[in-house]
Amino acid sequence: MNPLKKVTGRVAVLDRPDVDTDQIMPKQFLSRIERTGFGQFLFWDWRFEEDGTLRDDFPLNNPAVAGAKILLAGRNFGCGSSREHAPWGLQDYGFDVVIAPSFADIFASNCTKIGFLALRLPEAEVHALMAEVDGRNGSELTVDLETLTITSPAGRTIPFELDPSIQRRLVEGLDDIGLSMLQGAAISAFEAKRVPTPDTVALAARR
Amino acid sequence: MARTLFEKLWDNHVVTDEPGEPALLFIDLHLIHEVTTPQAFDGLRLAGRKVRRPDLTIGTMDHNTPTTGKPATNPLAVAQLDALAANCEEFGVPLFPLFSGREGIVHVIGPEQGLTQPGMTIVCGDSHTATHGAFGTLAFGIGTSEVEHVLATQTLLQRKPKSMRVHFEGKLPTGLTGKDMILGAIGQLGVAGGVGYAFEYTGEAIRALSMEGRMTVCNMSIEAGARAGMIAPDETTFAYLKGRPAAPQGADWDAAVERWRALASDEGATYDAEVVIDVRALEPQVSWGTNPGMVAPISGHIPNPADIADPGDRDALERALHYMDLKPGTAIRDIAIDRVFIGSCTNSRIEDLRAAAAVAAGRHVSPSVYAMVVPGSALIKKQAEEEGLDRIFTEAGFDWRYAGCSMCLAMNEDTLQPGERCASTSNRNFEGRQGRGGRTHLVSPEMAAAAAIAGHFVDVREFDLAAVGA
């Protein structure tokens, strides 16, 4: 995956709690077998009327936030389905970072695997940032993953926390699978002593 | 030192645990399906990697399959199903394809085949994987990148979650179900109450549940934000497992049961958090909003945004009521429905179908309602037909369908039309979940069947029930 060190860009605000992955990437787009191209379907039902025209009432449709790289969102963002198509869509749409007071566990984990930052800040700080962001003029902010700081539109420096192992993976663009495969000997040793569990190949062969 | 069930499961599967790094956990069973795997297999191909343990992996077709009993015709669905078959063939992974007789919803077939056994770690690219926790397993949903990781290494990188005991206090009143217990718990905990935790469900009411009921409870752990939820195995667990195709036999069975008994949380073991859910006064539950925490008893009413102090919460409630087209103060009983869906990994097992059939027998679906029953697997469909449940349903005016996920997530042709209101035994009432503009109310199978007949929500305990099933 591509390293993610520092992001400076426009901010879009979606101030709703419990935004679920069904909203982020509706099921009718999960039939695709590719990993790319999901950005066009992001927030489909919220972005588009049934006839395909843009909905005026959806914040991402504001021309001033076109090309936004950072999404400011409400608590428990990404709840529900485990579909990784949701972070794929956010990333493909152009976002590199979502900032929210909290994230659903599976969504947060999925983000770390694709070089996308789910950044947690205290709820009061998220609201303070939302208040600073001027949607009409397309405010910008900077997220620095190496110094773990945000520079707000008003120029404030806000520190944030990130699991050091996730920080390293994102900043260096490390591939989890490659790293874990280096543990092949440890996995083999574990396999040699574990209590056997059902053999699916044998089960399927039985009729 | 006294340990919880969760700690034992965790400790037994740690391959490496280096300071500052997530642990590498061994995975005993990896369940795969057509929707969250094609990109993972592509990743393996690109990197020239193999599936490390095809013998601990099994595939089924469920999410994107028709329930007509005919092959898929939607070209995207066909391509996705074909991709799973080709990938399983290429990488040597066993598969229960559509119409093989053993296929079905991924969280139904694992237990049904006896693949899900106490003490195991189980993962699947599906958030309802905690279903298997009903057997005393550590089971949780993962994303497609993690699916690829498990395929390549049979392990997963994980930070250890905190543990929460969810204790159901008291005896469950007659006529209530595991679905009512878990909906009530989510209503109390909220949809983010379990974020960062693995749940262990305890208490007399849990012990009294069948395995089907326990699976319903564990299934919806994710709707409270918990990635995993589990129940210590006991005699009910062993009786369910015994004789199933993948269950141990003979002396192996006895040895396994002895190991499984030792999994229960030790006396004096402590949890990071504990919550008590009093079930003594619980009523049948009906969700009214756009997440599973928005739930009320059948005697309840739609809440009023004016009573909510927090502006963010008030706004969220107003949005939900607007989407659901419901007015504050409306009695749950007065909500009329257009559709009924009985099915999903939450409530599509034989006991669920028997419970719904006991309500439906000798009655008829309201003329204003279209109701469908979708068994969880091909084998459940067969068993239900042997028990005559299909005839009870069809004579009562229900549509009896082929097995699959169906209108739980509505990836196939089974969808709500805009504005339609549905009583559903599934797990999510999110906006558009069952079809754009569709309105979902989550209930138990009994309550769904009763609503189908009445045309609106009604307390199923007012119905005389027929004796059905085996």
Side-chain angles (χ1 to χ4, degrees):
Chain A
M1 77 191 186
N2 294 324
L4 189 68
K5 293 181 177 164
K6 189 173 189 175
V7 180
T8 299
R10 271 188 193 171
V11 187
V13 175
L14 184 59
D15 187 14
R16 300 177 185 181
D18 306 314
V19 171
D20 60 77
T21 54
D22 272 83
Q23 304 317 316
I24 301 171
M25 190 55 57
K27 78 291 220 126
Q28 63 267 37
F29 308 114
L30 307 187
S31 289
R32 293 162 51 90
I33 58 175
E34 301 83 9
R35 199 172 186 132
T36 52
F38 283 94
Q40 58 190 307
F41 309 123
L42 187 74
F43 293 117
W44 183 267
D45 287 1
W46 285 353
R47 263 169 76 206
F48 299 104
E49 300 286 359
E50 281 198 68
D51 63 5
T53 55
L54 286 174
R55 285 176 62 162
D56 297 335
D57 62 348
F58 191 59
L60 264 59
N61 289 339
N62 176 354
V65 301
K69 289 184 177 176
I70 296 152
L71 181 64
L72 271 174
R75 64 173 186 268
N76 196 30
F77 187 83
C79 63
S81 160
S82 62
R83 58 189 70 169
E84 197 167 304
H85 312 67
W88 293 343
L90 287 161
Q91 192 175 50
D92 189 57
Y93 186 84
F95 290 113
D96 287 318
V97 181
V98 179
I99 302 174
S102 59
F103 295 94
D105 288 337
I106 304 178
F107 177 85
S109 168
N110 286 342
C111 291
T112 67
K113 311 295 180 187
I114 64 166
F116 185 87
L117 179 61
L119 194 168
R120 222 170 53 202
L121 279 185
E123 189 146 19
E125 192 59 80
V126 172
H127 284 140
L129 276 176
M130 285 178 176
E132 268 185 50
V133 170
D134 179 350
R136 281 168 306 178
N137 295 314
S139 302
E140 293 200 352
L141 61 75
T142 296
V143 176
D144 190 326
L145 282 82
E146 292 180 290
T147 60
L148 299 181
T149 54
I150 296 168
T151 309
S152 79
R156 290 188 302 131
T157 300
I158 304 157
F160 65 92
E161 290 178 8
L162 188 62
D163 179 325
S165 75
I166 291 172
Q167 181 189 21
R168 189 165 65 89
R169 281 173 165 78
L170 290 174
V171 169
E172 297 179 27
L174 299 176
D175 165 25
D176 266 354
I177 299 176
L179 289 176
S180 293
M181 288 192 79
L182 298 176
Q183 302 287 345
I187 299 170
S188 296
F190 185 92
E191 285 175 323
K193 67 175 175 58
R194 66 186 277 274
V195 178
T197 52
D199 181 334
T200 56
V201 173
L203 174 78
R206 224 178 329 142
R207 267 272 57 172
Chain B
M1 195 177 130
R3 290 185 301 163
T4 62
L5 165 65
F6 165 67
E7 286 169 322
K8 294 178 192 183
L9 293 169
W10 180 271
D11 293 349
N12 288 348
H13 290 88
V14 173
V15 176
T16 65
D17 197 4
E18 290 166 26
E21 291 296 313
L24 197 61
L25 277 192
F26 193 83
I27 301 303
D28 293 321
L29 178 64
H30 186 194
L31 301 162
I32 66 172
H33 61 84
E34 70 274 20
V35 175
T36 55
T37 57
Q39 297 87 353
F41 282 109
D42 280 346
L44 291 185
R45 259 189 298 272
L46 273 174
R49 289 168 178 151
K50 296 185 300 184
V51 173
R52 183 181 176 97
R53 296 297 299 269
D55 59 324
L56 303 182
T57 312
I58 193 161
T60 186
M61 295 177 174
D62 58 358
H63 280 64
N64 210 349
T65 55
T67 57
T68 54
K70 300 193 183 101
T73 52
N74 176 318
L76 286 174
V78 171
Q80 197 165 52
L81 295 165
D82 287 352
L84 179 65
N87 285 327
C88 286
E89 175 75 25
E90 179 182 343
F91 289 91
V93 173
L95 171 69
F96 291 160
L98 195 56
F99 307 128
S100 64
R102 288 189 283 182
E103 84 281 17
I105 306 177
V106 68
H107 308 309
V108 173
I109 64 160
E112 176 174 89
Q113 292 292 332
L115 287 169
T116 301
Q117 295 176 12
M120 291 170 63
T121 46
I122 300 177
V123 296
C124 174
D126 186 283
S127 61
H128 293 111
T129 307
T131 310
H132 307 266
F135 292 79
T137 70
L138 176 58
F140 50 89
I142 57 178
T144 297
S145 293
E146 290 180 310
V147 168
E148 186 179 338
H149 191 284
V150 178
L151 289 172
T153 67
Q154 202 57 35
T155 64
L156 202 56
L157 286 163
Q158 285 291 297
R159 287 276 179 205
K160 190 177 180 178
K162 293 176 284 184
S163 63
M164 187 186 295
R165 182 188 193 203
V166 180
H167 185 73
F168 290 92
E169 182 77 44
K171 187 168 179 283
L172 190 68
T174 306
L176 271 80
T177 66
K179 186 63 163 283
D180 302 307
M181 288 168 64
I182 191 63
L183 283 174
I186 298 164
Q188 187 172 325
L189 281 159
V191 290
V195 171
Y197 288 95
F199 285 166
E200 182 182 346
Y201 300 103
T202 62
E204 177 189 352
I206 289 287
R207 289 289 138 221
L209 285 177
S210 65
M211 287 315 295
E212 284 88 345
R214 294 179 189 186
M215 282 189 260
T216 302
V217 170
C218 289
N219 173 274
M220 290 189 73
S221 302
I222 188 69
E223 312 315 336
R227 208 168 172 179
M230 62 201 77
I231 293 170
D234 61 12
E235 297 309 319
T236 303
T237 322
F238 310 146
Y240 178 96
L241 269 171
K242 191 160 190 178
R244 294 201 176 255
Q249 294 176 348
D252 288 345
W253 170 261
D254 297 334
V257 169
E258 198 178 317
R259 269 199 321 277
W260 296 341
R261 282 191 206 285
L263 289 167
S265 293
D266 298 327
E267 188 99 13
T270 55
Y271 301 80
D272 296 306
E274 300 204 27
V275 61
V276 175
I277 316 286
D278 190 338
V279 300
R280 284 169 294 199
L282 197 68
E283 290 180 40
Q285 302 285 302
V286 181
S287 81
W288 47 261
T290 52
N291 73 49
M294 295 173 167
V295 68
I298 181 65
S299 67
H301 297 79
I302 302 300
N304 191 339
D307 299 336
I308 309 287
D310 180 85
D313 290 344
R314 188 166 59 234
D315 184 51
L317 175 55
E318 277 169 355
R319 283 185 54 81
L321 294 187
H322 177 75
Y323 181 85
M324 295 297 290
D325 191 27
L326 291 169
K327 301 264 180 301
T330 304
I332 298 290
R333 282 173 171 273
D334 291 342
I335 301 172
I337 55 160
D338 310 299
R339 302 277 295 266
V340 168
F341 171 65
I342 297 174
S344 86
C345 59
T346 313
N347 281 123
S348 65
R349 298 177 182 82
I350 192 68
E351 182 186 276
D352 300 316
L353 303 188
R354 286 180 192 144
V359 176
R363 298 188 171 94
H364 205 277
V365 171
S366 166
S368 60
V369 173
Y370 167 73
M372 66 196 297
V373 184
V374 183
S377 70
L379 283 170
I380 289 173
K381 179 173 186 287
K382 184 163 168 272
Q383 184 181 355
E385 287 169 1
E386 283 164 6
E387 293 183 12
L389 303 185
D390 60 323
R391 286 193 303 281
I392 292 174
F393 283 123
T394 52
E395 280 165 20
F398 289 80
D399 198 359
W400 176 249
R401 311 285 292 192
Y402 199 81
C405 297
S406 181
M407 209 167 68
C408 172
L409 84 166
M411 266 193 84
N412 69 358
E413 295 75 15
D414 307 337
T415 64
L416 294 182
Q417 297 305 306
E420 279 189 327
R421 191 180 295 283
C422 180
S424 178
T425 67
S426 55
N427 40 58
R428 293 197 169 124
N429 50 350
F430 297 151
E431 287 183 35
R433 171 80 177 178
Q434 296 190 296
R436 184 171 182 152
R439 298 171 179 133
T440 302
H441 296 266
L442 305 174
V443 288
S444 69
E446 290 89 328
M447 285 289 287
I453 286 151
H456 57 89
F457 291 108
V458 60
D459 192 334
V460 67
R461 294 174 297 181
E462 293 162 12
F463 281 59
D464 292 323
L465 301 181
V468 302

